[in-house]
């Protein structure tokens, strides 16, 4: 799923006024911030200056000071042009070598803007506290450019809100103090080519108390059991944290709502007074008693109206909620199916529509819409995190959203989802596992389960009960930008790794889902996303992702559907369809988007396979269906989708769904089925009894025990492709020259879907790089990233090169990416390997074309994307553990061979599927006679059901064959060798050894 777009959390300006209209008679003279007469240079920190920024090289705007006769002040104004695809804007930072400025005596900030009447929002933020302008808290608002010509924009400081989507230092105190200010920034509109002009930024007005003092409550919702008393804490606080100058009064009364006064609660009213001189942060409490009766009831609300004098009132009226009680669906002793049936029978159509809706956390702001639209689910897109990005902040955020759901009639808890595709990868400090392609290389189902268990424990400890993983795609073309999300190209390998489902969910019957270390898993992307044809995508500049999969019915069943059947047998809780289209040859339908394929979702998944969980759409995927929006909704719901991921359009979806049902175009039976499926999983997860985060496991997030699992996975994922002269493992006595772009870059070795959707290079999360792991292993190392340091006098070189992070179609080959190493990487390999014996490690999500340099490389390792535990790579480099990994995909000789997969009629790769040398101390010896004996023994083991013995016998035969073949891998060798690994995974051990014998003879 795509990451969430950069979010501007903004309050619309309360006024766009001329200075004469807004000035009070006793206002002090304004204080200039920028006159744009050349007094502030174009410069960046540590000096004071104005500078631009953006998400890419084309995104920063072009700025200049321009003389204009119509300048509102002085002779010059700041002008600029922009054409932004990601994000971009400009900043004025004060000098970091000088003290910060104090703006607390002022009412706000204002400036002149030359309106273009483009209807676009322009974000304006100020920088409060911290060490300097680039290490401060960001507070933001926005205005809409909907006028022509110069207008002065005035922004009271009370309009600024804490920015929730990004903070450079993770937040400081979440208080706009105004006493340590470092400047401002302007974020320009995206997706429109434009120009702007700005002049005379200044501080204006006097900070009177009604603007700088505010009254808040400690929550928006106060659930209380029937007969209990709700305590509403009311706090007065000031901008700048000074005591209040004048009294503040808060008159309160209970009025309105769905609860009956005198029957459900005792009405209260009165006034709280905070005298002049009261310290900022002082609180007083209002108590609202509720009454007990004998009737079973749904939840009832008691709004507490607050009228504030002398300060800004709370943004919304707090609500006391008398909890639902006595109804059958609340009885945990009843079977889940009865609880579901009872609850569905009570729900309105609008409430059912809400349960079928999933919104992005950034779209719902403080969460008021959760109750308004009875939303059933929220998610975090890639990189959509709380600030600070800590386990505590995640739990606090999700608990706040769950609290909002308590204000609904039946208090149905939210189910919060996140893409934890290789560990809890959105969370800073989490244990980041190797991506699935590396897990597939381990050939270790038990380790896959352990990795899933660690992921589940870390995810659930932050309050999240649902993981959009695992990806069960069978990757058939490594040009695909998602190929690293696949366990491999062989459906049998993917099926063998589905033990990860038990790691995530526990037992297949769902009885472990309520545990505080398990989550609901998602099998994705149904079906065929790994088989799309190159060039078939119609999504932007994508080449293969979200394209068309053309297969026969037999290929569909054998390759792409098989892993989902296994997932259903393992009790998978949810399934996510693919963005891609499916074209089953001979069925007469042509390519049809998977989100519209009722024959696959209803017919195959639900009816034939017996899937009893619920189906969740991908991010905005229904928008890719043909027709108008009503047909998008109708088609997808009728196709079998139960919940729609509509991140920012949840209002449109719920309204349209209700309209379609009322019009009879979607049946109520279909709606009830969808809602029943969703509620079943919520009950199984124990959310009705425990909706809030259980953080008892939070201390284990990123713990040594969890990292040990990731370290083992990283070690077992390493595939030794070549090892001339036994160069590996290294000896600690050897003097080693380490180089390469990925040797000391934890962002690169973690890949996409790490902290953000696309991931990024650099020191982005705690962990150990490969270089650090080698140092900790005791190696005698010299490091030179670009091999610029002298290369004389070393025993061996280790060059770590490969890809930089990407995700989804952004990483498609031909969309700014290739299977070739970068020019810098190639130069580093050439320099080091020409100077000494060398081992090259390729850190990547897919094979890289290395054949033209293979003769000059002594040892070659496919390191994949090992995650945060670089010690695991060092463990095999230095022989603490042996290399045991095997290729989960075919390693091609050239891009022209793609797609190339095990089982192809023509098969001549650089390295075949299943290839992987070992550094075990004992490598099997023998020849044809030994292989005949192994074949007989393997056949006997197969007949006896002795799977472990059968696998061990095939492994011994494989190592024996690899030893003879060396690097003389020809088509007659490669084809039977790859076929043997597929036969092994399908339990045909005797045939596997026979195929290996065929490869041995061909060698």
């Amino acid at each position: 799923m795509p990451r969430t777009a950069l979010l501007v959390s903004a309050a619309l300006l309360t006024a766009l006024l001329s200075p004469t209209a807004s000035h009070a008679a006793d206002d002090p003279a304004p204080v200039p911030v920028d006159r744009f007469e050349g007094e502030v240079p174009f410069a960046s920190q540590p000096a004071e200056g104005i500078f631009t920024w953006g998400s890419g090289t084309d995104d920063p705007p072009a700025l200049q000071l321009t003389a204009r006769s119509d300048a509102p002040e002085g002779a010059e104004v700041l002008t600029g042009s922009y054409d932004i695809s990601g994000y971009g804007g400009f900043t004025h930072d004060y000098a970091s070598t000088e003290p910060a400025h104090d703006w607390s005596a002022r009412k706000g900030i204002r400036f002149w803007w030359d309106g273009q009447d483009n209807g676009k929002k322009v974000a304006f933020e100020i920088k409060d506290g911290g060490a300097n302008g680039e290490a401060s808290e960001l507070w933001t608002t926005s205005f809409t450019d909907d006028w022509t010509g110069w207008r002065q924009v005035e922004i009271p400081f009370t309009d600024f809100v804490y920015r929730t989507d990004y903070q450079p230092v993770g937040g400081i105190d979440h208080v706009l103090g105004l006493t340590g200010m470092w400047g401002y920034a302007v974020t320009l509109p995206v997706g429109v080519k434009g120009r702007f002009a700005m002049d005379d930024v200044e501080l204006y007005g006097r900070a009177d108390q009604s603007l700088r003092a505010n009254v808040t409550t400690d929550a928006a919702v106060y659930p209380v059991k029937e007969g209990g008393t709700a305590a509403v804490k009311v706090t007065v606080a000031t901008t700048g944290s000074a005591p209040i100058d004048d009294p503040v009064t808060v008159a309160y009364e209970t009025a309105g709502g769905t609860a009956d006064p005198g029957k459900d609660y005792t009405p209260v009213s009165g006034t709280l007074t905070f005298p002049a001189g009261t310290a900022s942060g002082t609180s007083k409490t209002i108590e609202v008693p509720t009454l007990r009766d004998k009737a079973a009831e749904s939840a009832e609300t008691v709004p507490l109206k607050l009228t504030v004098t002398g300060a800004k009132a709370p943004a919304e009226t707090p609500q006391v909620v008398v909890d639902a009680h006595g109804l059958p669906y609340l009885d945990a002793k009843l079977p889940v199916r009865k609880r579901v049936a009872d609850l569905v029978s009570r729900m309105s159509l609008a409430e059912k529509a809400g349960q079928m809706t999933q919104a992005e956390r950034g779209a719902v702001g403080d969460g008021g819409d959760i109750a308004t639209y009875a939303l059933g689910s929220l998610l975090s897109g890639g990189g959509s995190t709380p600030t600070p990005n800590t386990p505590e902040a995640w739990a606090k955020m999700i608990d706040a959203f769950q609290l909002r759901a308590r204000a609904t009639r039946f208090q149905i808890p939210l189910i919060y989802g996140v893409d934890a595709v290789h560990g809890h990868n959105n969370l800073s400090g989490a244990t980041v596992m190797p991506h699935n392609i590396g897990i597939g290389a381990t050939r270790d189902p038990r380790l896959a389960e352990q990795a899933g268990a660690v992921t589940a424990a870390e995810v659930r400890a932050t309050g999240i009960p649902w993981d959009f993983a695992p990806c069960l795609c069978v990757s058939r073309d490594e040009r695909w930008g998602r190929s690293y999300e696949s366990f491999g190209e062989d459906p049998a390998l993917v099926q063998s790794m589905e033990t990860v489902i038990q790691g995530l969910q526990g037992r297949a019957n769902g009885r472990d889902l309520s545990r505080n270390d398990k989550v609901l898993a998602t099998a994705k992307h149904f079906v065929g996303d790994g088989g799309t044809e190159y060039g078939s995508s119609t999504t932007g500049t994508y080449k293969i992702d979200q394209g068309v999969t053309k297969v026969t019915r037999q290929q569909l069943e054998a390759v792409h559907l098989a892993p989902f059947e296994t997932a259903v047998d393992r009790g998978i809780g949810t399934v996510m369809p693919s963005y891609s289209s499916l074209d089953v040859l001979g069925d007469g339908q042509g390519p049809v988007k998977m989100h519209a394929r009722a024959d696959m979702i209803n017919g195959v998944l639900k009816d034939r396979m017996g899937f009893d969980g619920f189906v969740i759409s991908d991010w905005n995927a229904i928008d890719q269906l043909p027709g108008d929006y009503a047909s998008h909704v109708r088609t997808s719901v009728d196709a079998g989708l139960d919940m729609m991921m509509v991140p920012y359009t949840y209002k449109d979806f719920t309204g349209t769904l209700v309209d379609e049902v009322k019009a009879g175009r979607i049946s109520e039976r279909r709606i009830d089925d969808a809602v029943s499926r969703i509620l079943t999983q919520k009950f199984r997860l124990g959310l009705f009894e425990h909706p809030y985060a259980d953080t008892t496991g939070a201390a284990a997030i990123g713990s040594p025990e969890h990292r040990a699992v990731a370290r083992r996975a990283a070690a077992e994922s390493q595939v030794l492709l070549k090892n001339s002269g036994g160069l590996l493992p290294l000896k600690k006595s050897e003097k080693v020259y380490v180089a390469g772009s990925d040797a000391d870059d934890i962002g690169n070795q973690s890949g996409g879907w790490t902290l953000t959707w696309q991931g990024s290079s650099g020191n982005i999360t705690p962990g150990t790089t490969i270089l650090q792991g080698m140092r900790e292993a005791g190696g005698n190392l010299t490091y030179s990233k670009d091999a610029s340091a002298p290369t004389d006098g070393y025993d061996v070189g280790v060059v770590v090169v490969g890809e930089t992070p990407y995700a989804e179609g952004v990483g498609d080959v031909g969309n700014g990416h290739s299977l070739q190493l970068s020019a810098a990487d190639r130069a580093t390999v050439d320099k080091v390997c020409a100077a000494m014996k060398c081992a090259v490690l390729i850190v990547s999500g897919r094979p890289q074309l290395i054949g033209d340099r293979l003769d000059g490389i002594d040892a070659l390792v496919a390191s994949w994307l090992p995650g945060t535990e670089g010690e695991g790579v060092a463990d095999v480099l230095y022989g603490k553990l042996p290399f045991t990994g095997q290729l989960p995909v075919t390693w091609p000789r050239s891009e022209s061979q793609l797609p190339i997969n095990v089982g192809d009629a023509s098969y001549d790769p650089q390295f075949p599927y299943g290839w992987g040398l070992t550094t075990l101390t004992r490598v099997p010896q023998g020849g044809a006679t030994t292989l005949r004996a192994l074949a007989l023994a393997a056949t006997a083991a197969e007949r006896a059901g002795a799977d472990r013995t059968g696998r061990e016998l095939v492994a011994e035969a494989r190592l024996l064959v690899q030893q003879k073949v060396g690097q003389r891998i020809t088509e007659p060798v490669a084809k039977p060798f790859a076929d043997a690994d597929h036969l092994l995974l399908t339990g045909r051990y005797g045939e596997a050894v026979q195929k290996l014998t065929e490869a041995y003879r061909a060698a």
Side-chain angles (χ1 to χ4, degrees), residues 232-245:
V232 179
K233 187 162 73 172
V234 179
T235 302
V236 64
T238 61
T239 301
S241 302
I244 57 176
D245 297 325

Side-chain angles (χ1 to χ4, degrees), residues 231 489 843 924:
E489 70 186 34
V843 173

Side-chain angles (χ1 to χ4, degrees), residues 158 208-215 236-239 244 248 310-312:
T158 50
D208 61 272
Q209 179 170 292
S210 63
L211 288 171
R212 68 182 184 87
N214 62 88
V215 169
V236 64
T238 61
T239 301
I244 57 176
V248 172
K312 189 176 181 180

Side-chain angles (χ1 to χ4, degrees), residues 590-749:
V592 179
K593 284 283 186 182
M594 275 306 309
H595 281 71
R597 290 214 64 143
D599 60 330
M600 290 288 114
I601 299 171
N602 285 329
V604 174
L605 178 66
K606 290 183 175 180
D607 295 342
R608 194 188 84 190
M609 293 183 182
F611 172 62
D612 65 356
F614 69 89
V615 178
I616 170 73
S617 85
D618 210 331
W619 178 287
N620 275 337
I622 67 170
D623 290 348
Q624 295 189 8
L625 301 182
D628 59 14
Y629 191 69
S631 69
H632 297 169
V633 173
R634 187 168 60 249
T635 299
S636 54
V637 171
D638 283 343
L641 273 80
D642 303 304
M643 182 184 285
M644 298 300 171
M645 189 184 294
V646 281
Y648 298 99
T649 56
Y650 57 91
K651 297 176 186 178
D652 294 335
F653 173 74
T654 53
T656 303
L657 180 59
V658 168
D659 289 344
E660 289 297 294
V661 175
K662 286 182 176 178
R665 291 185 287 267
I666 298 176
S667 73
E668 291 193 40
R669 182 178 179 183
R670 170 77 268 267
I671 299 299
D672 287 351
D673 171 61
V675 175
S676 296
R677 288 170 175 270
I678 294 163
L679 293 177
T680 295
Q681 300 300 352
K682 289 186 176 184
F683 280 117
R684 286 176 175 171
L685 285 162
L687 295 176
F688 280 82
E689 288 69 47
H690 304 288
Y692 301 116
D694 180 346
T695 60
T696 53
I701 294 173
S703 66
E705 294 78 13
H706 285 185
R707 291 186 184 274
V709 175
R711 178 174 180 169
R712 180 85 189 192
E716 290 192 25
S717 72
Q718 302 300 293
V719 180
L720 184 58
L721 299 172
K722 180 181 180 180
N723 194 26
S724 296
L727 183 66
L728 297 178
L730 303 170
K731 300 178 181 64
K732 292 181 182 178
S733 60
E734 290 177 311
K735 193 174 180 184
V736 181
Y737 187 99
V738 183
S741 59
D742 289 357
D744 195 31
D745 195 310
I746 203 155
N748 286 356
Q749 74 186 44

Side-chain angles (χ1 to χ4, degrees), residues 130-174:
N132 55 61
E134 299 308 292
S136 60
E137 275 190 345
L138 304 182
W139 292 74
T140 187
T141 186
S142 71
F143 64 92
T144 301
D145 185 342
D146 57 2
W147 71 89
T148 301
W150 289 107
R151 181 180 292 183
Q152 192 173 46
V153 178
E154 290 194 346
I155 312 176
F157 289 131
T158 50
D159 278 2
F160 286 93
V161 296
Y162 181 79
R163 186 170 169 181
T164 57
D165 62 314
Y166 170 73
Q167 289 288 341
V169 289
I172 300 167
D173 57 8
H174 296 213

Side-chain angles (χ1 to χ4, degrees), residues 10 39 44 51 175 208 215 297 323 355 492 654 742 761 823:
E39 78 283 4
S44 56
F51 59 93
V175 174
D208 61 272
V215 169
E297 295 174 303
D323 286 340
Q355 286 303 300
T654 53
D742 289 357
S761 301

Side-chain angles (χ1 to χ4, degrees), residues 452-453 455-458 460-461 503-504 512-519:
T455 299
E458 297 198 1
R460 194 72 183 255
L504 292 167
D512 293 332
L513 284 173
S514 61
R515 283 171 39 176
N516 67 358
D517 62 348
K518 295 300 174 190
V519 294

